[in-house]
């Protein structure tokens, strides 16, 4: 059990959320709440009796919400909250696409890839602006630069920020993905492969990467915060349209968790250490040095600007079936800022 004190949501916060429900929540420029949802909201009841949402060690705010029962306090006894762990952005996208979860955490690049390939998701909140990826090698490696990766094997989880970090790093170094042997491994397996000597390098992800530095002496040979995309909280369009009241409750919970995490960085690090099974010093590094939680939760121009930079890399990778047209359409429709604007603006 966590040692973090469970935070009780003030009655005024619950009342505020219920007022949003009572007035109905507009889903944004690309979707609107259904008439039936508006009718249900008008009665003061929630539009569904279940909510499936993920938590992930790369999303500290999700850990706070889950640990403190913030969503459960907002929703009361009428909605059963199901928490599902995502091992990486690719897994969160799989869960969203299959309908196993309603809301999931991914990197911005992974969300863009998923929507470009037809997954009907939109970003409804930003949970961080992290530096969570880098190129990692073992403590005794002769590899000291990205250029040295030519002809080498690199572990990376396709469809995640570390994978796109690798692609961008290779391009900057005058290489392409064809110049390396990519082993598609889940993040934790990538670290194990590096430490076991079955790959030469790893496109790492925190907090696993930070633990590898401390526990295995692994080295980060290339870092570039500009190659990391934001932390996106995504929801399916069906959920946004038909359960806008629950979507608003989720974003409200995220904004409450952000405030608490910024005020309590030590406790947030302790929670991360507990859930991820890592040393507290490693967790503190992740929270204080590599996780910028003090960022607006409202998705918009800043996130699109970052995604526009990686869009050509995404197209050239061949991972998008429709190529540039599909990526451009996804860029134009991926943002749904309505819920975050209400949560942040207190409307």
């Amino acid at each position: 059990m966590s040692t973090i004190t469970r935070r009780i949501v003030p009655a005024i916060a619950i009342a505020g959320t219920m007022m949003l429900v009572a007035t109905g929540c507009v889903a944004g420029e690309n979707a609107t709440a259904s008439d039936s949802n508006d009718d249900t909201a008008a009665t003061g009841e929630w539009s569904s009796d279940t909510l499936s949402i993920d938590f992930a060690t790369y999303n500290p705010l999700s850990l706070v919400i889950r640990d403190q029962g913030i969503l459960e306090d907002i929703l009361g006894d009428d909605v059963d909250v199901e928490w599902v762990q995502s091992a990486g952005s690719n897994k969160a996208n799989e869960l969203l696409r299959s309908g196993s979860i309603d809301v999931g955490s991914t990197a911005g690049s992974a969300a863009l890839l998923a929507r470009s390939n037809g997954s009907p998701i939109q970003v409804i909140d930003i949970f961080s602006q992290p530096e969570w990826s880098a190129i990692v090698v073992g403590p005794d490696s002769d590899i000291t630069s990205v250029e040295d990766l030519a002809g080498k094997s690199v572990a990376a989880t396709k469809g995640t920020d570390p994978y796109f970090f690798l692609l961008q790093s290779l391009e900057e170094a005058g290489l392409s993905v064809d110049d390396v042997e990519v082993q598609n491994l889940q993040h934790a397996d990538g670290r194990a492969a590096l430490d076991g000597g079955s790959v030469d390098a790893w496109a790492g992800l925190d907090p696993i990467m930070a633990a590898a530095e401390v526990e295995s002496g692994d080295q980060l040979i290339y870092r570039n915060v500009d190659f990391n995309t934001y932390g996106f909280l995504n929801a399916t369009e069906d959920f946004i349209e038909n359960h806008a009241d629950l979507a608003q409750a989720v974003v409200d919970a995220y904004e409450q968790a952000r405030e608490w995490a910024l005020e309590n960085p030590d406790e947030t690090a302790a929670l991360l250490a507990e859930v991820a099974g890592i040393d507290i010093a490693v967790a503190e590094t992740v929270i204080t040095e590599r996780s910028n939680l003090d960022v607006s939760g409202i998705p918009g121009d800043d996130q699109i600007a970052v995604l526009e930079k990686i869009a050509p890399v995404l197209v050239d990778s061949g991972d998008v079936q429709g190529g540039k047209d599909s990526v451009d359409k996804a860029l134009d429709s991926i943002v749904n800022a309505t819920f975050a604007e209400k949560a942040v603006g207190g409307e």
Side-chain angles (χ1 to χ4, degrees):
M1 293 292 293
S2 170
T3 57
I4 309 298
T5 302
R6 191 168 186 265
R7 189 182 188 199
I8 303 301
V9 179
I12 189 171
I14 300 175
T17 301
M18 293 303 295
M19 286 178 64
L20 286 171
V21 176
T23 57
C25 300
V26 179
E29 62 181 5
N30 298 302
T32 57
S34 66
D35 292 340
S36 61
N37 189 51
D38 287 341
D39 292 342
T40 302
T43 68
E45 300 175 354
W46 299 103
S47 61
S48 175
D49 58 6
T50 60
L51 169 65
S52 296
I53 185 170
D54 81 342
F55 68 99
T57 57
Y58 54 86
N59 178 358
L61 297 187
S62 71
L63 307 184
V64 173
I65 295 169
R66 176 173 172 263
D67 180 73
Q68 298 185 5
I70 296 175
L71 258 178
E72 288 83 351
D73 284 335
I74 291 175
L75 297 173
D77 296 332
D78 295 330
V79 179
D80 181 26
V81 180
E82 178 189 13
W83 289 96
V84 180
Q85 184 165 12
S86 292
S89 294
N90 61 323
K91 295 301 183 183
N93 275 326
E94 290 173 9
L95 292 167
L96 283 163
R97 188 153 196 160
S98 68
S100 298
I101 58 174
D102 303 306
V103 183
S105 324
T106 75
S109 58
L112 179 61
L113 173 63
R115 187 165 180 89
S116 298
N117 279 324
S119 182
I121 61 170
Q122 291 183 306
V123 52
I124 59 174
D125 194 63
I126 301 300
F127 61 80
S128 69
Q129 183 186 18
E131 184 192 4
W132 52 18
S133 185
I135 303 300
V136 189
V137 299
D140 301 319
S141 176
D142 294 331
I143 298 172
T144 60
S145 68
V146 177
E147 289 81 359
D148 292 339
L149 293 178
K152 305 295 186 181
S153 58
V154 185
T157 310
K158 288 189 174 182
T160 70
D161 234 25
Y163 177 67
F164 294 112
F165 185 95
L166 172 64
L167 296 187
Q168 293 176 90
S169 301
L170 290 171
E171 181 182 54
E172 183 184 61
L175 302 174
S176 76
V177 69
D178 295 330
D179 293 312
V180 300
E181 177 194 345
V182 176
Q183 292 198 21
N184 185 22
L185 300 172
Q186 202 60 48
H187 301 298
D189 296 330
R191 179 198 169 178
L194 177 65
D195 289 348
S198 58
V199 295
D200 300 302
W202 167 48
L205 178 73
D206 274 338
I208 303 169
M209 182 172 68
E213 286 184 274
V214 173
E215 298 167 359
S216 304
D218 291 341
Q219 305 173 68
L220 310 188
I221 62 163
Y222 185 68
R223 299 170 65 176
N224 188 333
V225 66
D226 293 333
F227 285 177
N228 293 260
T229 58
Y230 287 78
F232 277 30
L233 187 70
N234 308 306
T236 62
E237 289 181 347
D238 176 75
F239 180 73
I240 290 170
E241 180 178 357
N242 295 305
H243 305 291
D245 56 341
L246 295 180
Q248 189 65 59
V250 169
V251 176
D252 289 348
Y254 262 84
E255 292 310 312
Q256 181 175 327
R258 188 193 316 277
E259 179 182 350
W260 185 89
L262 290 172
E263 293 174 353
N264 301 277
D266 292 341
E267 292 86 345
T268 304
L271 180 56
L272 174 60
E274 177 186 332
V275 177
I278 58 178
D279 186 81
I280 184 62
V282 174
E284 288 172 348
T285 296
V286 172
I287 294 298
T288 62
E289 298 180 18
R290 298 182 187 169
S291 298
N292 179 15
L293 303 177
D294 192 12
V295 61
S296 174
I298 302 174
D301 291 344
D302 289 345
Q303 288 72 42
I304 293 299
V306 172
L307 295 182
E308 286 176 341
K309 292 180 181 178
I310 70 164
V313 177
L314 189 60
V315 173
D316 291 342
S317 72
D319 292 328
V320 178
Q321 296 176 356
K324 185 177 184 302
D325 287 344
S326 293
V327 174
D328 288 344
K329 289 178 182 178
L331 280 169
D332 288 340
S333 58
I334 196 170
V335 170
N336 190 321
T338 305
F339 305 104
E341 287 172 348
K342 289 182 178 179
V344 173
E347 298 178 12

